[in-house]
Amino acid sequence: MAGRAAAKVPIARVGQALSRVGTPALVLDLDAFDQNARSLVHQMQVFEKRGPNGKTVALRPHAKAHKCSALALRQMDLLGSAAVGLGCQTLAEAEILASAGLKDLTITNEVVPIDKVQRLAKLAKTEGLALGVCVDSAVNVRQISKELQAVGATIKVLVECNVGQNRCGVETAEEAVELAKVVKAFDGVLDFDGYQAYHGAIQHVRGEAERSAECRKVAEKVVAINAAFDTAGIKCNTVTGGGTGTFLFDAGSGLYTEVQPGSYFFGDVDYGKNDWGRSKGWTQSLLVAATVISRNPSRRTVVVDAGLKAVDLGSGPPLVLGEEQWSFANGGDEHGVVTVPEGDLPEVGERMYLIPSHVDPTFNMHRQLVCVRGEVVEDVLEIDASGPGF
Ligand SMILES: Cc1ncc(COP(=O)(O)O)c(C=O)c1O
């Protein structure tokens, strides 16, 4: 509880200059974020993405990227009718987004064990909320139906299919159909909605042609799953998948009804390494502001106040905005060591802005998001669903 209270200490005030914001701070450039949202809609329109039902493929931005309900509301406003709702990866994300008033949420993950299933059932009772959840086992389906029956609620259920990531999901098209039949046995409580075919591991295949080829392999599996459902006479309203690296290919396959890009709104170093060909539409909107706290001219390094607790290093080091030659190295929990190979070394107290290497874990380290327009703070948002997920 003490930790939560500390989050109430604001690191920035509305109207303040960006240069005065406390560091390390997670900063969102609102002009770039808004532009990314417009670009997403535009790209879906330009490439005329139509799903298997003949309708335009819908956007379901993934809220796991930011875990911030205020930002989720903003996304829905910006995307308008192009978006059906949001994706969540944890039950807590869904609970927090629902309590903020978001009306259409799909948990793109399995909800286990029983205490969580009970929370899921309670959430499903929320007035006006369209809630979906993924399943990949009959035991989980039975638990969900039992707990929903107990509270008198219904939920949309999607069978998760393993289309190559070897994470969750049933292995074969036949297993998908069998599990759908288990779901359908609880008609009236469980509303079988379709399936998820998401392959996270191919989002960062660098070459556009190679990524497209990987998406075609996924598409072949989706075709087989569709054929099995057709044979069984089971209709799938929803086929969902597609992250930032693949959504245009997935949507373009004509096999998906919705796609789930999350990082697209923010950008990071890792996605920056992909070859985007004709389809890159995002500009970097997310930065970590840091301050030089020490300098060492003989080593040509400066130390900034952003370390392991402010930027994720799992996908490599962040870059320094506007300084391609500078390199960031891990200096520990609260320190980053920046090497400046030539030119003037920044002074103690100077600012720099880091481009995170991976959006999601970086958001998860912060509790407040400083939203700026130009050089001025427009809003400070609570990252209210941060944490590993419970
Ligand atoms: C199921 C699912 N959908 C969508 C996404 C969004 O991916 P990205 O942030 O790369 O767009 C993720 C990310 O891990 C995911 O796990």
Side-chain angles (χ1 to χ4, degrees), residues 37-304:
R38 283 193 292 272
S39 155
L40 195 51
V41 175
H42 178 71
Q43 295 215 36
M44 296 291 283
Q45 285 166 349
V46 165
F47 298 120
E48 285 187 340
K49 304 304 185 194
R50 297 220 165 250
N53 50 13
K55 291 191 200 148
T56 311
V57 182
L59 291 164
R60 181 176 290 284
H62 215 299
K64 78 186 276 292
H66 55 73
K67 289 174 163 277
C68 172
S69 58
L71 216 48
L73 288 165
R74 191 178 182 98
Q75 284 177 310
M76 291 307 285
D77 264 6
L78 288 166
L79 298 175
S81 60
V84 274
L86 287 127
C88 299
Q89 198 80 307
T90 69
L91 179 58
E93 286 168 13
E95 288 169 332
I96 289 166
L97 263 56
S99 69
L102 275 309
K103 295 286 175 226
D104 190 319
L105 302 172
T106 297
I107 304 173
T108 61
N109 204 353
E110 285 64 27
V111 174
V112 177
I114 191 68
D115 347 7
K116 281 195 186 176
V117 176
Q118 284 164 354
R119 275 167 53 202
L120 180 74
K122 191 166 165 229
L123 181 62
K125 276 208 73 119
T126 310
E127 185 77 32
L129 173 67
L131 182 64
V133 67
C134 281
V135 295
D136 73 357
S137 68
V139 63
N140 191 209
V141 171
R142 290 194 190 97
Q143 273 182 341
I144 295 173
S145 84
K146 183 166 171 256
E147 296 306 327
L148 265 95
Q149 253 168 328
V151 299
T154 60
I155 194 167
K156 284 194 279 189
V157 176
L158 296 128
V159 170
E160 178 159 20
C161 298
N162 177 15
V163 288
Q165 187 164 15
N166 301 336
R167 189 165 71 176
C168 297
V170 296
E171 283 301 312
T172 64
E174 292 67 34
E175 283 175 58
V177 169
E178 284 317 304
L179 192 55
K181 285 181 183 165
V182 179
V183 175
K184 286 179 88 58
F186 297 102
D187 240 355
V189 181
L190 306 183
D191 174 12
F192 174 73
D193 192 40
Y195 65 95
Q196 171 161 275
Y198 173 78
H199 191 335
I202 61 173
Q203 304 300 320
H204 292 92
V205 171
R206 298 300 177 209
E208 199 202 15
E210 289 77 8
R211 212 160 55 252
S212 163
E214 291 299 330
C215 288
R216 279 198 297 278
K217 288 187 206 158
V218 171
E220 280 167 24
K221 294 188 173 145
V222 173
V223 168
I225 297 166
N226 285 346
F229 275 118
D230 279 351
T231 309
I234 298 175
K235 188 171 175 311
C236 295
N237 294 323
T238 301
V239 180
T240 189
T244 298
T246 65
F247 75 95
L248 282 176
F249 302 120
D250 293 336
S253 70
L255 296 166
Y256 288 74
T257 60
E258 59 175 48
V259 286
Q260 311 170 5
S263 303
Y264 189 95
F265 293 82
F266 310 101
D268 59 27
V269 175
D270 205 1
Y271 266 129
K273 290 178 186 161
N274 277 14
D275 164 17
W276 292 95
R278 61 174 183 166
S279 60
K280 178 174 183 288
W282 55 270
T283 49
Q284 191 61 42
S285 69
L286 190 71
L287 298 167
V288 174
T291 302
V292 175
I293 60 168
S294 175
R295 66 202 291 273
N296 188 314
S298 62
R299 288 201 295 269
R300 293 213 54 83
T301 58
V302 295
V303 177
V304 292

Side-chain angles (χ1 to χ4, degrees), residues 330-363:
N330 181 3
D333 294 341
E334 286 84 14
H335 301 86
V337 180
V338 178
T339 302
V340 179
E342 54 191 30
D344 294 338
L345 218 56
E347 297 297 332
V348 168
E350 261 185 55
R351 292 285 167 118
M352 62 180 74
Y353 296 93
L354 305 173
I355 303 174
S357 55
H358 189 178
V359 169
D360 302 41
T362 300
F363 256 106

